[in-house]
Amino acid sequence: MMGKRTEKELKKACERLRIIERTRMMCNTLEELGEMVGCSLTHGNGLARKGGNSLFIKDAIFRELAYVAREKMCLDLDLEEVLTVYAEVDELMGKYGRRIKGMDVCGQMVRYFYVDGVVTEELRWLADKLEMKHVPILILMLMGVLPRLSAKGGDVKLENIREDYRRVFGFLHELVDSNNVVKALPSLSMMEDEVKDDPSAMCRIHLIYTMKMVLESYTEVASFEGINFANRTLSEYQFFPDVEGIWTENDDSTVFWQIERMGNVHIFCKYALNEGEKKLVYERYVMKFYDMCEGVMGVIVHPKAIEPLLKGEKLPSDCYAHVDCVLKKNCMEFQPYLQMFEWFNLRKLYRSNHADYYNRLLTEHRYEQVNRFAAYEYDFRIGLVAITEENLYLEASDGTCYKVPKALNAVLEDVRFGDDVGILTYASSIYVAFDNKNLYYDVSIKEKMEQWGIELYGKRGSFLQK
């Protein structure tokens, strides 16, 4: 006799396997699923029947499928949680599908859970019944990309799964286009490249993973609060490796890199020697290193990024490069995440055996130093000197101080000492800059300062008395 607990667990195990098979979750056809588990599957002898009444065998099959999803398919998903959430969303659709028909559920749930917590009154009831984990599957089900559990669609044809991906990518591109921060989202481009390079990766659990990952990336750029939270979280992993000095791609090259730490960043300055014209043409990049436990990530900022940042415009997709880094004592290796980052085409650097020679080139001024991106040259100095309940105080190089009210933006309440906060000078204009929050205020024009409530004081120390 089977105990009630064992019977309940067996029923649950069968249902999990049944959902995987019925939805074609991990494989587009029953035949492919049979090849994955190593046994023939038919409509009368499906996955849930394997092992008979043996809970051990059924759990073993499920554990192996969960392993395949996470390790072999490289999906950062818990298969059991995916199935649980799928069933919860399906139940909700069964109860309220007709009620929400024709409403902008997808857009509003994205805004509520991933942007600013705002939802219309007519859909507040729905938001209250959901958690963030439900949203990716809900959107896919509403789009008709994922089937209801009661559906009997069977195998998925290649042309149909391709069309599903096209629609999902289209939805996500529209979402990114609607924001005011970036023109493109690297995670979305990465998923598009992944299925383009390996069409066999296309399946429904991969679609769930794609939607989940891109939405989680989107929340980091969809609002100032998201940017602040993402940068604050990422800053916990930042570190400063011993990479200062002169580096070259090879000892015979007339191109060398000078790397210096300045404040919270490393400056990567590439110099190309033009002996005939007696010039050193250079490009200046900003780089940060993050120890992500599984490896080191580098974020490189192109000089051209400064202009759209200060203007509050959308950032071009190629302004920031994300690279995997391998750091050794005398060698650094870089591998960009995406093809769109190819402007940073550096792959290896070695500590130069001719560092003294290159340092003399930089200090003796026998060669004119020419900035290839001179139009985007700027100066940024950390300058946060005081924080009060209502204001932030930033000191310029001449000793003057700017009082910036926190009321200008809610994220200014989160400013701390050690943040990338200071005075930025660019194209004859001066900005109080909150760099890790993407906030910049032009204080060159008196009218703008008055509009924002920013005040200027002549001497450090005197401002706190006013």
Side-chain angles (χ1 to χ4, degrees):
M1 290 290 292
M2 187 183 297
K4 289 186 177 180
R5 178 179 178 182
T6 304
E7 186 177 353
K8 183 178 180 181
E9 291 175 343
L10 184 63
K11 183 178 179 181
K12 179 181 178 181
C14 289
E15 184 60 22
R16 290 188 305 194
L17 296 177
R18 194 173 291 115
I19 291 174
I20 291 172
E21 178 181 323
R22 185 184 301 145
T23 61
R24 300 301 190 267
M25 177 74 69
M26 297 177 65
C27 298
N28 294 323
T29 68
L30 203 59
E31 182 180 359
E32 291 171 356
L33 181 60
E35 292 175 357
M36 180 178 286
V37 297
C39 59
S40 177
L41 300 176
T42 65
H43 293 292
N45 185 27
L47 195 61
R49 288 182 174 272
K50 300 305 176 184
N53 288 328
S54 171
L55 177 62
F56 180 85
I57 292 177
K58 293 184 187 299
D59 276 345
I61 293 172
F62 181 78
R63 284 196 301 272
E64 184 63 22
L65 288 172
Y67 170 81
V68 169
R70 179 175 289 274
E71 301 298 330
K72 293 188 177 181
M73 299 174 73
C74 299
L75 305 179
D76 186 17
L77 293 174
D78 182 317
L79 182 58
E80 184 170 5
E81 182 178 357
V82 170
L83 299 182
T84 299
V85 173
Y86 201 117
E88 291 171 352
V89 172
D90 183 75
E91 182 180 3
L92 182 140
M93 287 291 292
K95 290 181 178 178
Y96 307 109
R98 291 184 179 180
R99 182 177 175 183
I100 63 179
K101 187 177 181 180
M103 293 185 175
D104 179 27
V105 174
C106 297
Q108 291 209 43
M109 292 307 104
V110 168
R111 180 174 182 181
Y112 182 81
F113 286 100
Y114 293 93
V115 184
D116 55 16
V118 173
V119 68
T120 60
E121 285 302 318
E122 64 177 356
L123 280 176
R124 183 169 296 280
W125 65 271
L126 179 61
D128 290 341
K129 293 180 181 297
L130 296 172
E131 298 177 41
M132 181 181 284
K133 64 183 180 181
H134 296 117
V135 178
I137 291 177
L138 176 65
I139 291 175
L140 293 172
M141 203 173 283
L142 287 169
M143 291 176 68
V145 170
L146 293 181
R148 294 285 309 281
L149 292 182
S150 57
K152 299 179 181 179
D155 290 348
V156 183
K157 295 180 179 179
L158 179 59
E159 58 266 29
N160 292 338
I161 196 73
R162 286 185 185 276
E163 175 62 17
D164 290 341
Y165 273 86
R166 188 193 66 78
R167 292 174 58 203
V168 168
F169 287 144
F171 169 82
L172 292 172
H173 275 293
E174 287 182 11
L175 189 65
V176 174
D177 289 343
S178 69
N179 87 94
N180 297 316
V181 180
V182 296
K183 290 183 178 179
L185 200 60
S187 61
L188 176 53
S189 300
M190 185 166 24
M191 299 313 298
E192 288 179 309
D193 287 348
E194 185 172 309
V195 296
K196 181 180 179 181
D197 295 339
D198 182 15
S200 66
M202 293 190 295
C203 63
R204 284 169 172 165
I205 194 171
H206 187 268
L207 275 170
I208 294 171
Y209 172 69
T210 296
M211 182 65 75
K212 177 178 180 293
M213 189 183 78
V214 175
L215 287 179
E216 288 174 354
S217 297
Y218 177 70
T219 194
E220 297 175 359
V221 300
S223 66
F224 285 115
E225 289 79 8
I227 293 170
N228 179 59
F229 179 79
N231 286 337
R232 177 69 70 204
T233 302
L234 194 58
S235 68
E236 296 176 3
Y237 299 94
Q238 186 178 3
F239 77 114
F240 301 93
D242 179 18
V243 295
E244 292 188 276
I246 302 294
W247 299 73
T248 56
E249 294 179 60
N250 65 74
D251 261 354
D252 297 326
S253 176
T254 57
V255 175
F256 65 96
W257 293 76
Q258 182 189 45
I259 302 176
E260 298 178 289
R261 178 178 171 182
M262 294 184 62
N264 292 336
V265 303
H266 281 92
I267 303 299
F268 273 54
C269 210
K270 177 184 179 181
Y271 290 91
L273 176 62
N274 187 323
E275 187 69 49
E277 297 183 11
K278 299 296 181 183
K279 290 182 179 180
L280 278 171
V281 181
Y282 68 92
E283 304 166 15
R284 185 176 183 271
Y285 301 91
V286 172
M287 187 162 185
K288 290 185 177 182
F289 293 97
Y290 301 94
D291 185 350
M292 307 306 291
C293 299
E294 296 181 355
V296 175
M297 178 182 74
V299 178
I300 307 100
V301 185
H302 195 283
K304 290 183 179 180
I306 189 63
E307 193 162 280
L309 276 172
L310 296 181
K311 290 182 178 180
E313 298 175 347
K314 287 190 177 185
L315 292 176
S317 58
D318 60 353
C319 275
Y320 292 80
H322 296 72
V323 296
D324 283 324
C325 305
V326 177
L327 306 178
K328 302 175 184 177
K329 183 177 180 180
N330 295 311
C331 176
M332 288 187 284
E333 299 178 19
F334 308 97
Q335 181 62 47
Y337 287 4
L338 297 172
Q339 293 179 357
M340 71 166 59
F341 300 149
E342 285 297 318
W343 57 264
F344 187 78
N345 57 11
L346 193 60
R347 293 296 177 267
K348 283 188 179 183
L349 280 179
Y350 302 91
R351 284 197 183 273
S352 175
N353 293 319
H354 308 295
D356 291 342
Y357 168 71
Y358 289 125
N359 277 318
R360 285 197 300 272
L361 288 181
L362 294 173
T363 58
E364 291 178 356
H365 303 295
R366 291 187 292 118
Y367 295 83
E368 179 187 0
Q369 296 186 21
V370 180
N371 187 350
R372 184 183 169 202
F373 298 106
Y376 305 99
E377 193 165 7
Y378 65 92
D379 178 72
F380 178 62
R381 299 176 185 274
I382 299 294
L384 183 63
V385 293
I387 301 174
T388 66
E389 185 175 349
E390 297 181 350
N391 301 297
L392 304 165
Y393 296 86
L394 285 68
E395 183 181 30
S397 59
D398 62 0
T400 57
C401 283
Y402 294 91
K403 182 181 78 172
V404 182
K406 293 180 180 179
L408 270 176
N409 193 295
V411 298
L412 295 182
E413 293 286 351
D414 186 48
V415 171
R416 308 172 191 174
F417 288 109
D419 287 352
D420 296 332
V421 176
I423 307 299
L424 188 149
T425 305
Y426 172 72
S428 301
S429 294
I430 301 172
Y431 300 80
V432 290
F434 302 89
D435 199 50
N436 51 357
K437 304 181 190 305
N438 282 22
L439 286 175
Y440 306 88
Y441 298 98
D442 189 344
V443 291
S444 305
I445 303 173
K446 183 178 179 181
E447 289 75 17
K448 286 188 177 180
M449 289 181 60
E450 292 176 349
Q451 175 187 343
W452 291 319
I454 297 175
E455 298 179 32
L456 177 65
Y457 293 96
K459 293 181 180 180
R460 178 178 178 177
S462 62
F463 54 85
L464 291 175
Q465 303 172 8
K466 300 189 179 184

